[in-house]
Structure formats: structure tokens, C-alpha cells
């Protein structure tokens, strides 16, 4: 990889799309541009916030021909886009004469080109690694796109690792006892779920752990992006439905996998695939009591039945307090292979008894520390 | 030996391309400047581009090199060797 030589001195960057293309709906453009920023924010401490007006760090524009910066676009083909390095302002310009497309082998994929350009906006020059995103040539639409290690190394050389995983050894390179430290120092997790094969996984940040009966398997953590290509880190919730598909949720989007292979074009909007379910959920699970999907957010929960119309009844959301002993603001929910339902919050967990419909009274009492009881710390 | 860009169409395009993406001085693309370029300079620029693009390094404008130059791509310079890559933002 090659670094241009300058970088942003702030971590929280803003952007706006001040000129949209002719041939794509605004909503699609907003989504693809957001996704393109997200691939960089997922592996760095950087955040990107969209603004509609006012001054921003990175301005995105779709332009034709000469457009004021002395570097005119050349019509279809040839130059697709260009962007300015941080020292020159970070703006990204796209040739509006291109046929920009979304999730299509036709035309030019906006997400991939935007992700490349934003690499320049952040300080990366072109890489001579052909498989890298930052290679200068457009390689066509890749439905399972993911960053090359060269891209990851480049951007992390400039901005470091995401905050939560800072100063941690790279798990795949340095397996050993230290690997468990992150989960043992703070057993807070993003999500826990069972695979279709009955394996339980814990996700946290960019990493995941495979759970054994009373601990975690050796060789973990591993990178989520390595095992589930196309899936970002910092997942909100996940579950495997009885159709064998695993669903992952983050922000406004969700992804569907069969095993560890993405099922076609994802992410999709939660509002499209799970009508009636809010964005930014805290936790989700398939409850053993009735096989329906439950989503949790704040102090509310929603029951989702894909076979019903509407899938979420009008009586939802309901208060989580209906689940006796279960707290609000959950991190994860899991219907475990032993028939109990477990709820996780801030490194502690609650065992919910489906028959009494309440958190068990036990010794030691719940909540208990998840690090000791689940992760073998 | 000298290289006169106007003699061969592919060569002209190659000079434009190599100058645009930082392998040759930008003055080479100025139609009013009447620049001549040594064959060595052109060969070196082609070699540098071939190396960067992962092509066979021949120094010649072979078919593979010409085809690569026709690929859709990012407009940012690959190399910043001739002057500062300092387009003004606003």
C-alpha cells in the first residue's frame, strides 16, 4: 500500500452529498455512500456522520466534464471518479456520465468506487496490490466484496485500530492465552447466537468466539470478516431461524447467511425485510417457547412471525418487564441448546425459565458474571 | 533518439495516460509546448506503469499494456513524481 502523507487529525468526520447523480434514486445513493464509509469506520476509530447542509469534512458530488477543479471528467469509461487527500480537503467527485449501479453486474458499482475514493479522502494512495480496493483499476461488481489485508494495513497505519480492540494482538497471528483477555476483562458482548449446526458463537467488535460447553474453543477469537465474508463488525444482534439461515442486524441493515456464506445481495434494510421492527435493535432471538422471533430494544420488545400478516401484531411493542426479571437495554439474547433462554447485559447474564416465565431464582443468584460462567475466565 | 508523440495514435494516448497518472511530466500533454521526449524516458515510464499494474515489464507498448490503459479506473495519480499532486479543492 502507499500513504499519500497526510491524514485527518480528528476522528469524527462529517460528509454531505451536495450533488446527486442523474440515474440513481437518492435513497440508493445515500445507502451506497453510507456503506462505503462504513467499510473504513469498521476497522478504524473513525466515524462518519452525514449532514444535509453546512460545512463538512468530505463533500461528495456527481459532476460532468469540467467541474471546477481543473481535472475534468471524460464521459463514460476511462476515469470514473477522483478524490482529494486530506490536506486538499478530502472531497470525492464521481463522473456523472458513468452508469452508476447498485447490486448489479451492469454499469459501475457505486459502493465499490465510493469506498475506493474515500480511501483517498482518508489519505491512501493507490496500491500496487491488484486485489486491494486501493488498486487504481475498477474490477467489476463483486457481490462478496471485502477489504484486502493490504487496505486494512494501510488505513490502520494511519488511524490505528477501532477503540475497543486497540493494542490487542491480531488473533489469527498470535493464538494463545492472551486471546481470551478481551472477553475476560470485559465480558460485554454484541451478540450471541446458535448456528444451524448447533454451535454457539459470541460476537464482540470485529471478533468472534466459538463457545464450548463451559468455555471458549481454542484458537479464538477470530475476525468476523474472515469467516463471514461481507459481514461488518460491531453487530447489534443475530439469530438462526428454523430455515437454517442466520440473520445479522446492525443499525438500519441486516444480512442473511447460510452457514458462513452470504445469501445473495446484502445488506438490506430492516424496514424492508422485517416490517415492523425498528432499527438499531439491542438483541434478537428465536424463542423456544413458540419458535417466533423476538427483537429487543430499550425497554420494548417485538414479536415477529414471518408466517403472519402483518408479521408484527398491532399490540407490539410491549414492555420487556413482561419478561419477569429481565432488564431493559439488553446486549444479547439467546435460546440455548439446554432449553433455557439467556439474556446478556454489560458482562452479566440472566437465565430465563420458559416454564415459569421468569428469571430463575438460584444460588448464586442471577445476574451472574458471563465471563466466569460462559467464557471460562 | 527521440520520441514524437504525434506520429502514432496509441503512443499519443499512452503519453497522455502516463502524464495524467503521474508517470511522465504533465507538460508532455500540452499541445502548445512542442515537447520532445527521449525514448528512454518513455520506456522508463511504461516500465514503471507496467510494474505498478502487475504486468510483464517490457518497456514496450504491448497489447496487454494498451488494454490495461483502457480499463476504467480512478482518476487520482498513481505516482506523484512530477510536481505536487495539488489540485485545488474549492
Amino acid at each position: 500500500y502507499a500513504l499519500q502523507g497526510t491524514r485527518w487529525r480528528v476522528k469524527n468526520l462529517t460528509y454531505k452529498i451536495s450533488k446527486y447523480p442523474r440515474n440513481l434514486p437518492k435513497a440508493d445513493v445515500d445507502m451506497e455512500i453510507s456503506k462505503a464509509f462504513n467499510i473504513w469506520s469498521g476497522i478504524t476509530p473513525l466515524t462518519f456522520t452525514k449532514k444535509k447542509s453546512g460545512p463538512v469534512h468530505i463533500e461528495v458530488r456527481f459532476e460532468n466534464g469540467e467541474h471546477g477543479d481543473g481535472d475534468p471528467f471524460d464521459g463514460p469509461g476511462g476515469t470514473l471518479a477522483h478524490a482529494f487527500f486530506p490536506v486538499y480537503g478530502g472531497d470525492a467527485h464521481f463522473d456523472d456520465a458513468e452508469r452508476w449501479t447498485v447490486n448489479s453486474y451492469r454499469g459501475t458499482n457505486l459502493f465499490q468506487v465510493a469506498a475506493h475514493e474515500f480511501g483517498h479522502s482518508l489519505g491512501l494512495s493507490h496500491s500496487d496490490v491488484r486485489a486491494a480496493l486501493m488498486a487504481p483499476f475498477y474490477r467489476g461488481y463483486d457481490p462478496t466484496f471485502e477489504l484486502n489485508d493490504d487496505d486494512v494495513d494501510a488505513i490502520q497505519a494511519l488511524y490505528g485500530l477501532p477503540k475497543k480492540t486497540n493494542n490487542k494482538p491480531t488473533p489469527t497471528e498470535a493464538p494463545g492465552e492472551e486471546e481470551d483477555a478481551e472477553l475476560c476483562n470485559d465480558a460485554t458482548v454484541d451478540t450471541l447466537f446458535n448456528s444451524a449446526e448447533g454451535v454457539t458463537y459470541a460476537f464482540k467488535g470485529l471478533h468472534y468466539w466459538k463457545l464450548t460447553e463451559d468455555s471458549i474453543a481454542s484458537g479464538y477469537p477470530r475476525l468476523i470478516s474472515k469467516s463471514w465474508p461481507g459481514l461488518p463488525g460491531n453487530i447489534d444482534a443475530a439469530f438462526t431461524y428454523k430455515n437454517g439461515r442466520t440473520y445479522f442486524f446492525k443499525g438500519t441493515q441486516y444480512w442473511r447467511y447460510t452457514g458462513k456464506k452470504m445469501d445473495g445481495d446484502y445488506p438490506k434494510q430492516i424496514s424492508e425485510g422485517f416490517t415492523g421492527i425498528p432499527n438499531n435493535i439491542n438483541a434478537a432471538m428465536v424463542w423456544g417457547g413458540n419458535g417466533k422471533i423476538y427483537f429487543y430494544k430499550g425497554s420494548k420488545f417485538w414479536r415477529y412471525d414471518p408466517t403472519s400478516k402483518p408479521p408484527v401484531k398491532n399490540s407490539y411493542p410491549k414492555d420487556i418487564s413482561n419478561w419477569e426479571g429481565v432488564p431493559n437495554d439488553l446486549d444479547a439474547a439467546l435460546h440455548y441448546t439446554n432449553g433455557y433462554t439467556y439474556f446478556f447485559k454489560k458482562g452479566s447474564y440472566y437465565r430465563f425459565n420458559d416454564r415459569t416465565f421468569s428469571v430463575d431464582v438460584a444460588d448464586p443468584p442471577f445476574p451472574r458474571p458471563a465471563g466466569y460462567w460462559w467464557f471460562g475466565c | 533518439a527521440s520520441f514524437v508523440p504525434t506520429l502514432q495514435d496509441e503512443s499519443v494516448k499512452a503519453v497522455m495516460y502516463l502524464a495524467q497518472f503521474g508517470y511522465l511530466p504533465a507538460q508532455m500533454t500540452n499541445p502548445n509546448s512542442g515537447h520532445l521526449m527521449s525514448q528512454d524516458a518513455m520506456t522508463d515510464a511504461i516500465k514503471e506503469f507496467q510494474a505498478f499494474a502487475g504486468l510483464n515489464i517490457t518497456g514496450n507498448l504491448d497489447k496487454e499494456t494498451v488494454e490495461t490503459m483502457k480499463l476504467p479506473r480512478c482518476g487520482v495519480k498513481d505516482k506523484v513524481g512530477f510536481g505536487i499532486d495539488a489540485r485545488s479543492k474549492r
Side-chain angles (χ1 to χ4, degrees), chain A residues 16-20 59-62:
Chain A
K16 70 178 172 190
I17 305 169
S18 46
K19 202 169 176 186
Y20 282 81
E59 188 180 346
V60 176
R61 282 160 40 190
F62 291 78

Side-chain angles (χ1 to χ4, degrees), chain A residues 20 28 38 50 61 67 78 107 127 154 159 165 175 217 253 289 294 325 331 340 350 367-368 370:
Chain A
Y20 282 81
D28 285 356
N38 285 346
K50 184 175 185 290
R61 282 160 40 190
H67 52 280
S127 171
Y159 297 101
T165 55
Q253 299 173 320
Y294 287 76
D331 290 329
Y340 285 103
Y350 302 74
R368 295 178 184 173

Side-chain angles (χ1 to χ4, degrees), chain A residues 140-208:
Chain A
Y141 172 54
D142 179 358
T144 59
F145 168 83
E146 63 176 338
L147 287 175
N148 187 275
D149 287 346
D150 181 73
D151 303 309
V152 177
D153 291 344
I155 200 71
Q156 290 183 343
L158 283 180
Y159 297 101
L161 298 167
K163 274 181 185 171
K164 283 182 178 177
T165 55
N166 220 355
N167 299 326
K168 288 292 166 193
T170 304
T172 50
E173 291 176 357
E177 291 182 0
E178 280 181 321
E179 288 174 4
D180 301 352
E182 189 188 349
L183 214 44
C184 286
N185 283 339
D186 178 3
T188 304
V189 292
D190 293 336
T191 188
L192 286 152
F193 67 96
N194 300 314
S195 71
E197 295 76 31
V199 176
T200 305
Y201 293 104
F203 276 35
K204 181 176 186 176
L206 301 179
H207 297 100
Y208 77 96

